[in-house]
Amino acid sequence: MPISPDVREAVRQGSWIRKMFEEGARLKAERGPDNVFDFSLGNPYGEPPETLSEKIRSLASAPPADLHRYMPNAGFPDVRAKVADALARSTGLPFTGDHLIMTTGAAGALNVALRAILSPGDEVLVIAPYFVEYLFYVRNVGGVPIVAESAENFQLDMASIRAALSDRTKAVILNTPNNPTGAVYPRDDLLTLDGLLAEREKRTNAPIYVLSDEPYRKIVFPGFSFFPPAAALRNTLVAYSHSKDLNVPGERIGYLAVSPRAADAGEVSDACVFCNRVLGFVNAPSLMQRAVAVAQDLAPDLSVYQANRDALVATLRAAGFPVVPPGGAFYLFPRSPSGNEMEFVEAAREENILVVPGRGFGREGHFRIAFCVSPETVMSSLPAWERLGGRYFPRQNQGETR
Ligand SMILES: Cc1ncc(COP(=O)(O)O)c(C=O)c1O
């Protein structure tokens, strides 16, 4: 066999997100782009903010002497100091440049962190529904993903987490605001989780690291607030990405930050710098490091996401779909009206609506809508959603109450 069996199996199964995205491209070519409502991929539709674009232009036209060269594997020291300063202000923790490693997005950060801390056979808790790549990232380094379930409202379910912990648990991956549910975890739950981990750590006398994957940290809707996991959980490694807050997912820029409160923080940071190098990243893209240094305090424009979210939640609810309104990120994760969500995803496709089945995130019976699309796409999709609801919830559509 030319390739490793687990890679072969992963390739065979494919990613549901990618499958639906590719189906969207096919349908758009067949039916015209304006006739297809593609909610498959978390690819922000907007342009980067002008401050960032301007900085990229000025770097490209008048590059500083070191711009295109190797630098320390952790990234430019002045950039790391700037990022650390912003992170220190938002978490209240004394982050410095020494805690920071610039990475190729959150995906790079998570792979670096996992490589640095895991030994083969170590367990990593992921909470379903989850960003499916976590399973692959853990397996990349011989780790074993263990799944805990979230509660019905997608918040942390401590009983499920407690049951999933074992003496082999080395890390927990947390994602708030969450992809695919939009759940934002409150401070008290994060503190409770820290207590739960501390109990287990007492038994094993070894730290359990929390990989806090936070690419949607700045995308939080009114009425909700993001509480930084690093401020509640002692052994946190923050994985951040500028893919979603600055609309540059193709540029591959983010960072990993080891909390100053984490056990063996210095040793873990050094290990992560080494892993950034030997996993083949070497360093994060240099031009983008310099560019994002000026964007640390920028807040994304949430007006379109909020309008998209509100229009979809209102239309889906009126059509009969049970929806938990997301507190952050740009996803909805409604329950499928048909027990078999694959049947529903196909029915949606007949209406030219592309969504991803919940099984792509470890929870069947649901589907994901990525609403980081243009407002025009959302508005023109609403009649199709109403028709789709009419297939499953005919009584609501006739104005009756239940
Ligand atoms: C929860 C989550 N984590 C990580 C990533 C990877 O982000 P990046 O583009 O920074 O690698 C994504 C991308 O969609 C995501 O949704």
Side-chain angles (χ1 to χ4, degrees):
M1 195 187 294
I3 54 171
S4 108
D6 61 320
V7 171
R8 185 188 170 104
E9 180 54 20
V11 171
R12 194 188 63 76
Q13 288 190 6
S15 143
W16 277 109
I17 301 176
R18 286 280 154 187
K19 273 186 210 164
M20 297 314 292
F21 179 62
E22 280 154 23
E23 176 63 2
R26 196 188 66 74
L27 278 186
K28 282 175 199 164
E30 182 184 300
R31 303 180 188 175
D34 294 343
N35 299 320
V36 177
F37 313 117
D38 185 352
F39 297 105
S40 63
L41 195 62
N43 204 8
Y45 91 102
E47 292 303 317
E50 185 46 32
T51 310
L52 184 73
S53 301
E54 172 52 34
K55 182 69 184 174
I56 291 172
R57 280 194 295 273
S58 77
L59 284 166
S61 60
D66 60 357
L67 185 66
H68 300 302
R69 314 182 86 87
Y70 289 127
M71 82 293 297
N73 298 126
F76 290 114
D78 57 319
V79 172
R80 285 156 51 212
K82 265 212 165 123
V83 173
D85 176 58
L87 193 61
R89 279 184 277 116
S90 66
T91 58
L93 296 171
F95 280 101
T96 69
D98 289 341
H99 300 104
L100 256 291
I101 299 132
M102 301 306 291
T103 61
T104 58
L110 291 167
N111 276 284
V112 162
L114 289 165
R115 176 71 184 97
I117 62 175
L118 289 194
S119 303
D122 281 351
E123 295 178 356
V124 178
L125 230 79
V126 297
I127 296 164
Y130 44 70
F131 178 56
V132 74
E133 303 294 83
Y134 293 156
L135 306 187
F136 301 113
Y137 299 166
V138 171
R139 291 183 189 130
N140 275 347
V141 292
V144 180
I146 303 290
V147 177
E149 295 295 328
S150 61
E152 192 67 7
N153 62 358
F154 305 128
Q155 291 294 325
L156 297 176
D157 178 341
M158 299 304 164
S160 180
I161 293 175
R162 188 193 293 271
L165 290 170
S166 86
D167 290 351
R168 295 238 49 181
T169 307
K170 190 70 194 266
V172 178
I173 303 183
L174 270 198
N175 174 217
T176 174
N178 187 270
N179 172 12
T181 67
V184 183
Y185 302 145
R187 171 179 174 272
D188 286 356
D189 284 4
L190 297 171
L191 288 169
T192 305
L193 175 60
D194 191 54
L196 213 67
L197 299 180
E199 259 173 45
R200 173 64 61 171
E201 287 167 330
K202 254 193 224 135
R203 282 177 48 156
T204 55
N205 205 20
I208 298 177
Y209 289 96
V210 174
L211 307 189
S212 178
D213 183 26
E214 308 175 3
Y216 304 99
R217 182 170 76 207
K218 292 189 178 178
I219 304 176
V220 178
F221 300 113
F224 295 85
S225 65
F226 169 79
F227 191 83
L233 292 132
R234 292 151 300 129
N235 296 318
T236 301
L237 275 58
V238 178
Y240 193 67
S241 167
H242 288 294
S243 296
K244 319 287 175 166
D245 70 341
L246 299 176
N247 297 343
V248 288
E251 299 295 348
R252 315 306 308 132
I253 187 73
Y255 61 80
L256 178 66
V258 178
S259 168
R261 292 176 69 200
D264 305 310
E267 201 181 334
V268 172
S269 299
D270 290 348
C272 290
V273 175
F274 169 78
C275 293
N276 201 35
R277 184 181 103 219
V278 299
L279 285 174
F281 301 119
V282 182
N283 54 253
S286 62
L287 187 143
M288 288 309 294
Q289 287 190 42
R290 290 237 170 271
V292 300
V294 302
Q296 292 304 307
D297 291 327
L298 289 186
D301 174 9
L302 297 189
S303 59
V304 167
Y305 294 151
Q306 198 178 330
N308 286 354
R309 165 193 183 262
D310 293 348
L312 283 165
V313 168
T315 302
L316 266 79
R317 280 188 159 170
F321 292 93
V323 184
V324 179
F330 38 54
Y331 306 103
L332 290 176
F333 199 61
R335 186 179 287 285
S336 162
S338 155
N340 176 356
E341 94 260 22
M342 295 311 295
E343 188 271 332
F344 173 77
V345 168
E346 179 51 29
R349 204 184 64 92
E350 286 166 15
E351 293 288 352
N352 293 330
I353 292 176
L354 291 161
V355 294
V356 181
R359 66 192 59 193
F361 307 93
R363 185 165 292 179
E364 296 187 8
H366 288 72
F367 61 98
R368 189 191 77 170
I369 302 171
F371 58 81
C372 49
V373 296
S374 72
E376 293 75 30
T377 301
V378 167
M379 294 319 284
S380 40
S381 76
L382 299 182
W385 282 111
E386 283 162 3
R387 283 194 300 277
L388 195 53
R391 292 199 200 185
Y392 294 96
F393 310 105
R395 287 197 300 159
Q396 279 95 331
N397 280 1
Q398 289 157 19
E400 293 178 19
T401 52
R402 296 215 287 180

